[in-house]
Amino acid sequence: MKYLSCVIAAAFFCAAWSAGHDDPLTAALPANPDWLKPQTPLKLFGNTYFVGTGGISIVLIDTGDGLILIDGALPQTAAATEANIRQLGFRVEDIRYILNTEAHFDHSGGLAALARDSGAEVITSPIGAAALKAGQVDAHDPQASNISRSPPVPNTRGIEDGGALRLGNTVVTAVFTPGHTPGSVSWTWRSCEGETCRNVVFASSLNAVANGGFTYTGHPEVTAQLRASIDRVEGLTCDLLISAHPDNSGGDVKIAALEAGATPNPFLAPRACQAYAERARGRLQARLDREASR
């Protein structure tokens, strides 16, 4: 089964590359194979759908007056994302806004192609918007030394912390959560099924990851930012959590359970944001301990 999964993932990667290798906006970037695993699109709750890969979250919101997409994964997965949207019965051309959690290529590499194909405007923090327009991460990013460039996204604008984006019956609010990247943003909204509504959080990565000579002990301001962001996510009203990488919050297990018809809905977990924050806090402390022991 593991071998078959690898073959499927490789076939998905090759098909995506073959379809877009002449298109500069979908040219493949080196990637963790887990990020490229195909994933059947599915409804999470109400008007909220998962359309990402097996290793990278992308969410579609049907507002009743156009669609909102959150994150874009990699350039070579853009075609698969669009296929997932169509499989759910939606039109890519109806995407009005694409929101971004961070300018790292595994979450933003596909934005240029998705924005071009849909005509949507891309929205993130001002720091993130500058990085997306340039096609490279901010110089102060802890992973700046080895994060791949990705296609620039010209039709991008910044939103303020706490800014609300209104479309149809949905209001999505920006919650700045810097630390993993300087411009990271989490997003919140309410999703309803009939008269039952739930508070949804799409949380940015909160992992203390760095490359090159960057250390968190050497950058206490970044450590403080990340701690504050972890605390902020922990304090959000959160009935349903989607993390930027599903496996960082047990989302991969929940997706498998949802596909298998599990009831009650495994994504409806009121303590999910607290658990996500606790995990991130532990990883940050482990990183600081390793740095201190060198």
Side-chain angles (χ1 to χ4, degrees), residues 71-163:
D71 274 354
L74 293 142
Q76 62 262 43
T77 64
T81 300
E82 294 180 0
N84 280 349
I85 292 168
R86 294 189 182 102
Q87 186 175 333
L88 289 169
F90 298 109
R91 288 170 16 104
V92 171
E93 296 80 5
D94 290 335
I95 300 172
R96 295 277 301 281
Y97 299 109
I98 304 177
L99 314 182
N100 182 228
T101 60
E102 64 182 65
H104 285 180
F105 70 96
D106 50 330
H107 305 283
S108 64
L111 294 180
L114 292 167
R116 176 197 62 193
D117 295 348
S118 65
E121 181 180 33
V122 178
I123 301 174
T124 187
S125 67
I127 293 175
L132 292 181
K133 288 179 180 180
Q136 62 182 11
V137 300
D138 186 271
H140 299 98
D141 192 300
Q143 298 181 67
S145 65
N146 75 340
I147 289 290
S148 299
R149 292 180 61 91
S150 55
V153 189
N155 188 24
T156 302
R157 70 173 170 90
I159 190 172
E160 69 274 13
D161 187 17

Side-chain angles (χ1 to χ4, degrees), residues 1 18 26 33 65 89 133 151 171 180 190 194 208 245 263 291:
M1 183 62 69
S18 297
T26 60
D65 189 25
K133 288 179 180 180
V171 178
H180 181 73
R190 282 176 66 78
H245 287 280
T263 55
E291 291 179 359

Side-chain angles (χ1 to χ4, degrees), residues 9-290:
F12 173 80
F13 178 90
C14 291
W17 184 87
S18 297
H21 72 281
D22 291 328
D23 180 354
L25 299 190
T26 60
L29 292 174
N32 183 328
D34 288 342
W35 298 344
L36 303 174
K37 289 179 181 177
Q39 172 62 53
T40 302
L42 72 162
K43 180 178 180 177
L44 298 181
F45 183 83
N47 64 350
T48 300
Y49 301 83
F50 189 93
V51 295
T53 73
I56 303 173
S57 295
I58 306 177
V59 163
L60 185 75
I61 306 171
D62 176 16
T63 74
D65 189 25
L67 306 172
I68 297 173
L69 193 69
I70 304 181
D71 274 354
L74 293 142
Q76 62 262 43
T77 64
T81 300
E82 294 180 0
N84 280 349
I85 292 168
R86 294 189 182 102
Q87 186 175 333
L88 289 169
F90 298 109
R91 288 170 16 104
V92 171
E93 296 80 5
D94 290 335
I95 300 172
R96 295 277 301 281
Y97 299 109
I98 304 177
L99 314 182
N100 182 228
T101 60
E102 64 182 65
H104 285 180
F105 70 96
D106 50 330
H107 305 283
S108 64
L111 294 180
L114 292 167
R116 176 197 62 193
D117 295 348
S118 65
E121 181 180 33
V122 178
I123 301 174
T124 187
S125 67
I127 293 175
L132 292 181
K133 288 179 180 180
Q136 62 182 11
V137 300
D138 186 271
H140 299 98
D141 192 300
Q143 298 181 67
S145 65
N146 75 340
I147 289 290
S148 299
R149 292 180 61 91
S150 55
V153 189
N155 188 24
T156 302
R157 70 173 170 90
I159 190 172
E160 69 274 13
D161 187 17
L165 181 71
R166 292 173 171 82
L167 184 65
N169 58 18
T170 303
V171 178
V172 183
T173 301
V175 180
F176 285 14
T177 45
H180 181 73
T181 79
S184 291
V185 187
S186 297
W187 302 91
T188 69
W189 65 98
R190 282 176 66 78
S191 185
C192 300
E193 289 188 354
E195 295 183 358
T196 301
C197 297
R198 295 289 183 260
N199 296 291
V200 184
V201 175
F202 191 126
S204 69
S205 292
L206 296 175
N207 287 340
V209 181
N211 297 109
F214 185 99
T215 64
Y216 283 87
T217 50
H219 294 81
E221 74 288 355
V222 177
T223 302
Q225 273 189 338
L226 186 52
R227 287 193 192 280
S229 294
I230 293 169
D231 291 345
R232 192 169 193 192
V233 169
E234 185 175 45
L236 292 173
T237 303
C238 177
D239 301 312
L240 192 161
L241 169 69
I242 303 143
S243 58
H245 287 280
D247 61 353
N248 282 349
S249 63
D252 52 338
V253 176
K254 294 174 185 177
I255 286 171
L258 197 59
E259 287 181 315
T263 55
N265 186 334
F267 271 92
L268 296 179
R271 275 197 49 80
C273 279
Q274 287 87 346
Y276 185 57
E278 289 166 5
R279 177 185 183 276
R281 196 174 286 118
R283 288 174 67 94
L284 173 58
Q285 190 57 54
R287 171 82 192 203
L288 292 171
D289 291 344
R290 287 196 304 272

